[in-house]
Structure formats: structure tokens, C-alpha cells
Amino acid sequence: MDFKRRNGGPVMGGASQAKRGKTTDDWEDNPSQFEEELSMFDDMEMDMEEMEGQAGHDVIPVGDLFSADLNPRWKRPHAPMLNSSSDTLVFQQIDLDYYLGPSVAGMPGQSQANVPIIRMFGVTDSGNSVCCHVHGFAPYFYVPAPNGFKPDYLGEFKRELNSVVLKDMRSNKDNISITVLAVDITRKESMYGYHGQRSLDFLRITMAMPRLIAPAKRLLEQGFKFGHYPIQNYQAYEANIDFEIRFMVDSDVVGCCWIELPKGKYRVSLCQYEVDVGWTDLISHPAEGDWQRIAPLRVLSFDIECAGRKGIFPEPDKDPVIQIASMVQRQGETEPFIRTVFTLQPCASIVGSQIFCFTQEKQLLQSWAEFLRTVDPDIITGYNIQNFDFPYLLNRAAALKVTYFPYLGRMRGKRSVLRESSFQSKQMGRRENKTINMEGRVQFDLLQVLLRDYKLRSYTLNAVSFHFLQEQKEDVQHSIITDLQNGNEQTRRRLAVYCLKDAYLPLRLLQKLMCVINYMEMARVTGVPLTYLLSRGQQIKVVSQLLRQAMKQDLVMPVVKTEIGEDYTGATVIEPEKGYYSLPIATLDFSSLYPSIMMAHNLCYTTLLQKGSAEKLGLSSEDFIKTPTGDQFVKSSVRKGLLPEILENLLAARKRAKAELKSETDPFKKQVLDGRQLALKISANSVYGFTGAQVGKLPCLEISQSVTGFGRQMIERTKQLVESKYTISNGCDADAKVIYGDTDSVMVKLGVATVKEAMDIGREAAAWVSSHFTPPIKLEFEKVYYPYLLINKKRYAGLYFSSSADTHDKMDCKGIETVRRDNCPLVANLINTCLQKILIDRDPQGAVGHAKEVISDLLCNRIDISQLVITKELTRTAQEYAGKQAHVELAERIRSTCWRTTFPSTHSTTWSSSLRQHSPLPVWRGVLSVTRSL
DNA sequence: GTAGAGGCCTAA
DNA sequence: TGAGTTAGGCCTCTAC
């Protein structure tokens, strides 16, 4: 059962990375390899270049930079004229936001003052960019109508609410005269709790602007009086929904879907397809069949270099930007079609890329901004661009007074502003984040993606590239960048190659990890804009799905105030029978345990019976169930829950995606489908977490504790069933024994000698146990461990047999030092080798011998320092010292970190005697004791 | 010396 | 104004 990891600690990246230790350099690649790759691009494009008149212009004088003839490919393809009365406009929407602007004549909605206008950015099949203004959609929320409310009262309610909201405003800079646009009466039902499917009258309150929702809600909650009704508190529903999500849910738009504007229903206003449309006129296509395709998006990756002073972290008000490398690639293609470096001072040419040299830094920045606006990318990537490159560029441009730099978005005249937000939370620690508005472009910082989705020991671009691509950065020490800049054309050329590669690697990684595709599929599946996936958490995705499902049944979501109560009981971990097993151990798992529990027992907000409800509603005991925690839910025969419905859709869609994946031959479509099935799985697993999030949009501990309660019961039952059936008295070779289990899995010692037998019995047992549970709950045989070393709860290792009974797939290690990132490589490697000797070679004495050898190497100072360093700690230390010229102190600090993590509780000067006395490294001690006991 | 709290990271 | 859950091992630090 997997949950997504939390974000890691502070990280340095981009231009600020520390170089790796010496011994890890043996995989250093030849710098010319990347240059060869670059020149290959050039060869392939030769013909095209000649036609476009670009050949022979490797180093281009600045004055000609934006000559249309010189760089025709920078621009998007020509956009044919659009006739709104005869053409439909179809585009893939990739970003969606809203702004306040003057109403447009002929468009629906309010005609006075500023109105909220939804804006969708996208790309057509032919690669033309689209900005679509959607008019006439207004924000709203609900409150239950007071007793005896009649339609006649609507006017008075509206007038009074409008007046108190106006009065509440401290300033009225937009000169709003009408805050409440409409109040309507409508039949709705609260989704929280089952109350006999009784629809009630709700007031739907439509406000003039999204930011008026919060005050209106507050005033109604605190006590509101109108007409002859006494003052009264109103509970608000759906008043905490982002305006974008509200619009998307209501118009059935999901993230990255295709939008069609029928002919005659929109109007063209400006440049490459800037159009206006009424919100009810647009057609949103579900991401199915042909509508799963992805437009030829432009992805720009860039990297900057700064000339910092010796030992000091570059500061934008002092240190110049000397180079900016950019690569642009169309989504779906394999190579970048634009490769440029903007340099300060002359630079020798690099085959396969254009170099633009500037004498003035101001001009360099200005030109790069123009380059970006010309290329008009849909997605901007790079490594740590969000917290380093973009802020640095913006600050530097401000310091140099480059007036036209900070307009990086797609809206003409809209300034890009840097905002620093730091929030503290107990879980995440202090976290500083910078954001820059760039309307219509998705900032897809690869570092942020990796931090969210991958658990890695180190997040430097170098380490990450090696991990995923077996490739490295160009070898340029961070400390010599300034010297290279101050050298000659050739040294600056070396720097430019380095810079180009740093722009290229993120593109390669993006492609290899299929980030864009996977994120798009996630946006489509969960219905949120692409940008939300990187800037927001998990909850919004569930909210989006919940609202969509609820709307179909006229259910509304209450706004609940968060009050943190006590934690609830989670899963059971079966007490392990620790030891070394030289027999096959079969592992049986409940697949998607928590989602299947919610489906099997119809657990949902809408099916929850609150205390006393069963009696009040006259339900018989046949109508509802009592969960292990004593909570009550009506059965699906009474009402089917929203959550089970969502989960069924997700899992059914996943099945379809997997089936399509099997029959699909096109590799690109295959990738899309794989991304889809992954997104569907992750989405299903996060529904449970949402109900248990006490600081959340709609926590419901009755659901989450019932889920874990069922889980506890099931794992216990599984143990009993297996141990009662597979016994000697039932004709088996031995009595089966569950030696360990955690949450949704049991490890069974069946007493058989071969992997094959363990697999066969395991499969049979899983099927038999499954029959004792309500579908879709299913226990599956997953793998055999042979041999198996069970060290403790959540700590074990074994050879993993799944695909074949003859050869193991891998050595699987859980929770042990080898997989933990708070240990130095020496420890991880030592333990890993010991485990290999124990499990693969079956040579415990060899393991002991190896451990002794390593210890002795350590004592004799034969271990390289890089083996003793925890990259995370090192990074943190380096960051603390960044900007301070404290090399000696830093080195000392690193040394002590090494000692501390290698010899816990031991001071470096006393380790020798300490080692003998206390046997340091409890981990090692653990291994030694295990090996000794064999 | 040891008990307990707190930090970190993992399993699921 | 945004944040999915609990269980649990093992380390360090502190108080006694």
C-alpha cells in the first residue's frame, strides 16, 4: 500500500550546486560527447537551415537578433485567419485562470463595472497559441433557506445581504455598487450524512466577484437578519471553492482537455487567436479516443550563469548574469529545435547552437526576454528555475533597470512580479518559496517535480542526471566560472557548453520521466488545472472529483471549520517472528486495500448515519452496517455513496487504460496511457487520506477510522484463515505460519521447500481467502521471498521471486539502512554487501568478514571522505555557509558530520577505544549479531 | 546509565 | 488561506 512521500528538506540546485567528491568522478564523461550530440542536431537540420537562411550564422551579431528572416523558427507557425462565423476553433487548454476586467458588449453576464473573466490558454493542433476569454460565469455559494422561506423573500434577502457586504468593505477601490448579483432558490441536499434523501430549499447566492464570497459567507455565518426573520446563523456550502475549479466543474472542463468553440459563438479580437466566448457556448471534450491527443506544445528549458565573487553566493544586486542558454522542443518530438546561448562578451562558436554575444548585460537580459516572448513557450522548465534562475533574472533586471524585462507571461503589458512566501508547518518545517506570475505559461521546474515524485539521496542536477540518464553535467567547477568569463572566447565557449548542457538535461529528464504526459493525465483524471499539480496539494484533486460527482445528484458540500481532535487508530503491524528463513516465504497482499474497503462497504459522507439517525429515519438493521469502530453507514441498496462511485470510476478507467495499453502499438500513445493508469491509481489511493485529513476541506474521521478498522479486522482474519487451512492435519507438509504482516500484507511460512510450491499454494490461498470477503476486496499472491531476513517491524530483506520460480528478480530491502537517506554511503554500502553475502551467497561468515574489513579500513583512514558524507546533511551545511567565506570552517563542519553519522555517540578523538568498548554503529552491531546467529 | 521526548525517515 | 493518513524503528539530546 503506498502513499506519496512528503517533500524533502532544503536543497540546492541550479547554478548553486556543490561539486561531488573526488572518488565519484570515475564515471566522468568526455565533455566532447555532448558537443558531438549538439553537432548531430545541426547535421540533421542542415537542409532546413539552408532553406531558412540560417546556415553559416553560428555567432550572430546582436543587431540582427530579431530579424524575422534570420530566426524564422523562433516564432510559432503562421496562424491562418479565423472567421468566427464559418470556422470552429479547437484547442487543447493547458492553463486556466481568471481576471477582473471590463465586460465585453455582446457577451453574457453583468455589463456594469469590472467582471470576473475566465481565461483559458491553449494550443491548436497546428501549433498556434490561443487565449480564450470566457464571459458570463459568476461565483456563487449556497446556504440553507430559513424555515418557511418563500420566493417572495428573495429580493429582500438579496438587498439586505448586498448592503451588509458593502458596509463590510473597508475600501471600495473598484467602486462596486452591486455585490450580490442574484439569489435563487433551489432544491439541494447536503452531502454530509445520510438523512433520507430529503432535498431541502437552498439559497444559491451569486456574487459579483470571487473575493466577495468570503465576506458574504462570514457575515451570513456570524448572524444575518433580513425582512421579518430574526437574526440567524447560516451554514455556508461550497463557499471555499476556487473560482477556477468552480468554473471547470460547472462547465465540465478538466485540466488539459480539448475545447471547441462552435462557429458563430465566439469572436476574434487580437493576434494569434485571442477570442471571446460565452461560458455556456464552449464545448469541452472528455479526454477519450481522439481527444486524448496532446497539442504540439512548446517547451523551453533554460539555465543561467552568474559571475559570483570568490566563495560568495551570487547576489543579483552585485553579480552579473553572464550567460543564458535556452533549448526549445515541441512536446512529442525527440530533439530541441532551438538551441541558443546568450553570452556577455564574445564567445567562440559551438556547432549545433546559435550564440548571441553582447557587450552590455542590460542588452543581454532585454534580448533574452524578447527571445522568450518570441518563442512564446507553453511550458517553461529548467532546474530550480522557480527559486533561483527566475528570481535572479528578475532581481538583476530590476537592479540594472531593464524596463522591458519583467513581462514574461502571455498577456501584453502584464508585469511578472516576484513574490516570496514562506510558510511554516510542523510537518514540513520552514519552507521558503518564490513565485512569479507568468500568465498562460506553465512553469514546470524539474527540481520541484523530482522533490514531489521521487525519493532520492541527492537532488543536484548532476546526481539526478546520473541516476536517471547515466549522464552528467559538463565538468566545470562552480568556483572557476568567473575565471572562465574573464578569460577569452575559448574559455567562455567552454562555459557556454556547460550552460547549454544544463539547459538540455532538464529536457532530457522531462522526456525520460514522461513528466509532462503524466502530469497532463493527472490533470485530466482529477479535473484540476495543470499548474495546480505543482503548486497545490493532494486535497484539491479529491475536491474537484467530489464536486463533479456531487453535482449530478444535486448534493452540496458544506464548509467545515477545521478543529483538530485526536488521532485515530491506523493499521495493524503483526508482531514479526524475527529471524533468518532459509525457506520460501509467500507474500499475500490486498490490492488497493483502502479503496476496496470503501467500495465494499459503501463508506461515504452521503451514507454516514450520524448518531440517532437510524432510529429517526426508521431504518431497519438490513438497511445499514455497523463498522468495527461502531460507525454506521447505509448500504448501497439505500443509497450509493459518492466516494465509492468515484473510486469505481477511477478503477474502471484504470482497467480500460491498461487494456488499451496492451493493444496499443504507437509508443507515444502508449506513454500517454501508462501515465493515465498511473494517475488513476494514485488518485484512488488519495481518497482515503482526504477523509482523514483533519486540517482539510472535508474531514470525516468516521470514514477513515472505519476504513482502518476494517483493515485491521481483515489482516487478522487473513492470518487466522491461512493458519487454520494449511495445516498438517489438513494434509499439508507443515503447519503454515504467518511470520509477519503490515497493513495489507501477510508473509506466510508454508513449510514447503521450493519457490514453485510456495507460489502455487500462495495463489490458491489468496483466492480462497478472497472468497471470505466482500467484493471488490481481493487478496492476491504477489511474491515469494527466498531466503528471507526479518529484522524487525518494517525492517526486512529477501530475494524477490515473482516472474519466475527459478531466478530472483531482485534483492528487496525494506526499511533497512540501505534504503534510508539519513545514512552515509559507507553504511549503506556495507549493509548492502553484507545482505548480499547473507542472502545471495548464503555466506554469513563472509558478511562478518566484510564488515570487519570495512571497520579496519575506517580505523586506518583508508575510506574516502565522500563515503562518509550524507548528501542531505552536506547540502544543508553548505547552504548554511553559502555566501560566507568560511572554507576552513566548512571543511571542519563536514568532517564532524562524517564522524557523527558514522560513529554515533562517539567523539572523533576517542573513537578508537570507544569502538572496542561500545561496538559503535548499532546498525553494524545488528548485522553482526544476525550473522553470528546463523 | 537510562527513561523519555523529539527528529528523521520509512512501510504501507 | 495552503497543508492526504498512522505505525514504528532507531538515532540524538536532555534530565535525573
Side-chain angles (χ1 to χ4, degrees):
Chain A
M1 174 158 279
D2 41 33
F3 283 100
K4 286 268 99 181
R5 60 174 290 271
R6 292 197 303 276
N7 288 350
V11 177
M12 294 175 73
S16 59
Q17 287 149 14
K19 209 187 167 329
R20 280 189 143 228
K22 252 258 153 7
T23 50
T24 46
D25 273 0
D26 45 354
W27 27 256
E28 194 162 281
D29 72 359
N30 184 354
S32 69
Q33 213 175 318
F34 172 55
E35 287 193 49
E36 268 169 38
E37 206 175 336
L38 271 172
S39 67
M40 297 251 291
F41 293 151
D42 214 37
D43 290 345
M44 287 183 281
E45 290 162 0
M46 224 29 153
D47 300 339
M48 251 159 68
E49 302 277 321
E50 268 160 22
M51 279 163 59
E52 290 168 8
Q54 193 177 327
H57 289 277
D58 290 341
V59 180
I60 296 187
V62 172
D64 298 333
L65 186 54
F66 294 100
S67 149
D69 300 335
L70 204 54
N71 294 299
R73 280 191 290 153
W74 286 11
K75 286 197 178 156
R76 284 186 178 273
H78 168 71
M81 267 273 267
L82 199 60
N83 183 342
S84 79
S85 57
S86 58
D87 299 330
T88 58
L89 176 59
V90 175
F91 63 96
Q92 187 190 7
Q93 156 268 126
I94 56 149
D95 193 16
L96 191 151
D97 63 2
Y98 79 94
Y99 66 101
L100 298 176
S103 57
V104 171
M107 285 292 147
Q110 279 288 105
S111 54
Q112 53 201 335
N114 278 354
V115 296
I117 301 167
I118 295 278
R119 190 166 46 189
M120 295 192 290
F121 295 94
V123 177
T124 65
D125 278 315
S126 47
N128 298 118
S129 62
V130 179
C131 173
C132 174
H133 305 262
V134 185
H135 301 265
F137 186 75
Y140 63 87
F141 66 103
Y142 298 96
V143 295
N147 284 333
F149 192 90
K150 293 198 177 75
D152 297 351
Y153 308 156
L154 285 170
E156 198 151 6
F157 186 97
K158 178 179 157 186
R159 263 196 307 284
E160 192 51 40
L161 183 61
N162 186 55
S163 118
V164 294
V165 172
L166 273 175
K167 224 178 287 170
D168 181 72
M169 288 196 288
R170 252 174 282 159
S171 71
N172 191 349
K173 60 178 189 305
D174 289 318
N175 205 18
I176 306 165
S177 56
I178 300 174
T179 59
V180 185
L181 293 185
V183 180
D184 303 291
I185 198 159
T186 165
R187 301 291 283 182
K188 294 281 176 189
E189 184 185 352
S190 169
M191 71 162 68
Y192 204 104
Y194 180 77
H195 16 68
Q197 314 200 27
R198 200 161 42 89
S199 291
L200 297 170
D201 280 336
F202 274 77
L203 301 180
R204 179 180 137 136
I205 302 165
T206 308
M207 307 297 289
M209 290 177 186
R211 69 174 157 84
L212 295 173
I213 296 264
K217 164 193 169 257
R218 175 167 43 81
L219 293 164
L220 283 161
E221 274 177 356
Q222 285 169 355
F224 172 73
K225 180 172 168 25
F226 79 100
H228 66 277
Y229 278 89
I231 190 160
Q232 183 173 340
N233 303 320
Y234 293 81
Q235 151 110 60
Y237 288 73
E238 301 188 4
N240 54 352
I241 310 299
D242 300 282
F243 188 50
E244 291 96 338
I245 297 289
R246 177 82 275 165
F247 165 76
M248 291 173 84
V249 168
D250 286 21
S251 51
D252 218 8
V253 168
V254 296
C256 298
C257 70
W258 287 83
I259 300 289
E260 176 178 336
L261 309 184
K263 57 187 176 191
K265 294 293 189 185
Y266 67 97
R267 27 197 278 178
V268 182
S269 46
L270 280 170
C271 61
Q272 266 206 323
Y273 303 154
E274 177 154 4
V275 299
D276 293 283
V277 68
W279 82 278
T280 50
D281 289 328
L282 67 87
I283 297 167
S284 165
H285 293 286
E288 287 161 12
D290 212 21
W291 297 113
Q292 292 182 62
R293 69 182 187 273
I294 294 175
L297 306 174
R298 290 187 152 209
V299 185
L300 179 145
S301 175
F302 77 102
D303 181 51
I304 70 169
E305 300 301 333
C306 319
R309 291 149 291 159
K310 269 258 173 317
I312 303 176
F313 195 76
E315 292 167 31
D317 51 335
K318 299 193 184 74
D319 303 308
V321 172
I322 52 175
Q323 293 196 347
I324 309 178
S326 318
M327 294 228 177
V328 187
Q329 184 169 332
R330 288 183 206 90
Q331 176 62 33
E333 292 182 2
T334 51
E335 286 139 17
F337 67 100
I338 298 175
R339 303 168 295 275
T340 63
V341 195
F342 287 40
T343 71
L344 190 60
Q345 305 307 334
C347 173
S349 70
I350 300 169
V351 179
S353 65
Q354 294 173 287
I355 298 184
F356 301 96
C357 309
F358 300 83
T359 49
Q360 300 292 318
E361 189 193 355
K362 239 176 125 162
Q363 209 185 359
L364 188 162
L365 295 178
Q366 167 90 44
S367 300
W368 187 76
E370 281 173 28
F371 165 75
L372 182 128
R373 289 189 284 265
T374 307
V375 167
D376 188 30
D378 305 292
I379 295 176
I380 302 185
T381 189
Y383 210 72
N384 203 20
I385 53 169
Q386 194 195 325
N387 286 311
F388 180 74
D389 299 64
F390 268 133
Y392 199 96
L393 286 174
L394 240 50
N395 286 329
R396 186 65 187 157
L400 296 177
K401 302 195 172 53
V402 187
T403 339
Y404 296 117
F405 184 86
Y407 298 87
L408 304 173
R410 279 206 171 132
M411 297 317 294
R412 207 176 286 276
K414 175 74 177 172
R415 202 185 160 92
S416 300
V417 189
L418 174 66
R419 272 177 311 176
E420 296 195 28
S421 63
S422 75
F423 72 79
Q424 262 176 312
S425 82
K426 274 175 196 159
Q427 291 257 307
M428 306 262 238
R430 192 170 56 249
R431 196 154 243 274
E432 285 187 10
N433 249 326
K434 301 184 166 91
T435 51
I436 296 153
N437 59 300
M438 224 169 278
E439 290 73 14
R441 308 197 202 285
V442 178
Q443 295 175 59
F444 214 77
D445 188 338
L446 189 71
L447 173 62
Q448 301 299 325
V449 174
L450 294 172
L451 285 172
R452 266 180 189 257
D453 299 343
Y454 295 91
K455 290 189 298 184
L456 301 172
R457 280 209 145 75
S458 166
Y459 287 94
T460 62
L461 179 56
N462 206 30
V464 165
S465 303
F466 183 67
H467 186 260
F468 291 113
L469 304 169
Q470 288 75 50
E471 220 175 291
Q472 290 236 259
K473 285 166 62 117
E474 293 291 296
D475 184 31
V476 171
Q477 291 265 9
H478 185 244
S479 57
I480 66 161
I481 287 177
T482 305
D483 297 334
L484 290 176
Q485 171 65 13
N486 293 336
N488 53 36
E489 285 193 358
Q490 288 303 325
T491 62
R492 282 189 288 275
R493 180 185 183 280
R494 189 174 159 211
L495 188 57
V497 172
Y498 168 82
C499 193
L500 263 173
K501 182 133 195 198
D502 279 10
Y504 184 48
L505 286 171
L507 271 187
R508 291 276 314 276
L509 285 160
L510 222 55
Q511 209 169 327
K512 169 102 185 185
L513 304 174
M514 303 188 300
C515 297
V516 175
I517 292 169
N518 289 349
Y519 269 66
M520 274 195 184
E521 285 307 319
M522 182 59 94
R524 286 170 166 176
V525 163
T526 58
V528 303
L530 190 61
T531 44
Y532 275 38
L533 298 177
L534 273 170
S535 64
R536 307 273 296 264
Q538 306 292 326
Q539 296 212 34
I540 188 67
K541 298 195 274 190
V542 183
V543 169
S544 163
Q545 294 173 82
L546 196 54
L547 285 173
R548 285 166 203 269
Q549 201 68 40
M551 202 170 63
K552 296 180 191 164
Q553 298 179 37
D554 279 328
L555 292 162
V556 288
M557 192 176 114
V559 179
V560 296
K561 51 179 183 288
T562 55
E563 47 186 52
I564 41 163
E566 280 182 14
D567 289 351
Y568 60 91
T569 314
T572 299
V573 183
I574 295 173
E575 194 58 45
E577 288 201 5
K578 299 173 205 172
Y580 173 80
Y581 295 86
S582 53
L583 278 172
I585 302 295
T587 303
L588 313 179
D589 285 50
F590 285 103
S591 57
S592 307
L593 177 68
Y594 287 175
S596 67
I597 288 175
M598 294 171 93
M599 288 186 278
H601 299 107
N602 201 36
L603 307 182
C604 185
Y605 304 99
T606 58
T607 58
L608 169 67
L609 282 167
Q610 280 149 322
K611 276 208 176 66
S613 286
E615 295 80 37
K616 222 183 324 180
L617 294 165
L619 293 172
S620 81
S621 60
E622 293 298 300
D623 294 329
F624 62 92
I625 57 148
K626 197 167 177 181
T627 71
T629 45
D631 301 300
Q632 298 174 340
F633 292 86
V634 297
K635 292 184 179 171
S636 58
S637 51
V638 177
R639 163 186 265 174
K640 177 114 190 185
L642 294 175
L643 297 181
E645 226 159 34
I646 290 171
L647 291 168
E648 275 167 26
N649 291 342
L650 288 172
L651 296 181
R654 179 163 186 239
K655 241 184 194 164
R656 278 201 305 277
K658 282 180 123 173
E660 275 183 67
L661 182 63
K662 248 187 184 164
S663 58
E664 183 61 65
T665 48
D666 177 7
F668 188 68
K669 285 182 183 163
K670 260 187 134 94
Q671 287 182 6
V672 175
L673 288 168
D674 197 48
R676 186 179 191 79
Q677 69 88 11
L678 188 72
L680 289 160
K681 181 190 170 175
I682 295 171
S683 296
N685 280 334
S686 59
V687 172
Y688 152 77
F690 177 78
T691 66
Q694 299 202 31
V695 187
K697 278 258 158 69
L698 196 61
C700 182
L701 266 40
E702 289 91 341
I703 296 174
S704 29
Q705 70 185 6
S706 294
V707 169
T708 57
F710 275 120
R712 290 193 297 276
Q713 228 172 46
M714 286 161 60
I715 198 168
E716 208 50 59
R717 184 89 198 280
T718 303
K719 179 173 146 79
Q720 286 166 7
L721 286 169
V722 171
E723 289 182 347
S724 68
K725 172 156 182 176
Y726 296 90
T727 59
I728 295 171
S729 53
N730 282 345
C732 297
D733 294 350
D735 285 338
K737 179 86 183 103
V738 171
I739 55 165
Y740 180 57
D742 185 346
T743 312
D744 61 353
S745 65
V746 285
M747 277 65 163
V748 197
K749 183 181 76 179
L750 292 162
V752 293
T754 65
V755 173
K756 174 86 173 60
E757 288 170 279
M759 284 180 161
D760 291 342
I761 302 175
R763 261 187 270 271
E764 182 203 307
W768 180 71
V769 172
S770 294
S771 70
H772 290 74
F773 293 105
T774 317
I777 291 171
K778 194 177 168 204
L779 187 71
E780 287 176 338
F781 163 80
E782 199 175 76
K783 68 222 166 196
V784 167
Y785 283 120
Y786 175 59
Y788 185 57
L789 179 63
L790 182 50
I791 298 170
N792 212 334
K793 280 183 176 176
K794 301 191 190 284
R795 289 168 69 85
Y796 61 82
L799 298 189
Y800 183 113
F801 289 79
S802 171
S803 50
S804 149
D806 303 322
T807 50
H808 63 269
D809 302 281
K810 59 182 175 185
M811 185 173 86
D812 205 19
C813 299
K814 291 293 162 70
I816 303 172
E817 277 60 26
T818 51
V819 298
R820 290 182 66 95
R821 296 175 299 168
D822 52 358
N823 285 96
C824 62
L826 181 75
V827 173
N829 292 340
L830 169 63
I831 303 289
N832 194 42
T833 310
C834 287
L835 287 174
Q836 278 178 3
K837 287 189 186 299
I838 295 168
L839 297 170
I840 300 173
D841 306 341
R842 308 246 186 154
D843 175 17
Q845 285 319 306
V848 176
H850 177 75
K852 280 182 181 163
E853 219 169 281
V854 171
I855 292 171
S856 126
D857 282 349
L858 189 63
L859 299 183
C860 301
N861 224 5
R862 286 195 295 263
I863 302 277
D864 191 277
I865 195 161
S866 66
Q867 283 288 300
L868 303 174
V869 165
I870 298 177
T871 322
K872 280 203 133 176
E873 291 237 6
L874 184 66
T875 313
R876 203 164 306 168
T877 310
Q879 199 165 44
E880 277 171 35
Y881 282 77
K884 299 173 198 163
Q885 32 152 8
H887 289 92
V888 177
E889 211 182 326
L890 175 59
E892 197 44 55
R893 184 71 184 270
I894 291 169
R895 230 189 306 283
S896 73
T897 303
C898 299
W899 282 118
R900 191 157 52 75
T901 57
T902 317
F903 294 110
S905 319
T906 313
H907 194 270
S908 58
T909 53
T910 57
W911 55 261
S912 188
S913 55
S914 217
L915 181 61
R916 274 174 223 109
Q917 282 168 23
H918 312 299
S919 190
L921 274 183
V923 185
W924 297 17
R925 205 193 306 145
V927 167
L928 293 176
S929 71
V930 170
T931 52
R932 218 175 287 125
S933 70
L934 304 179

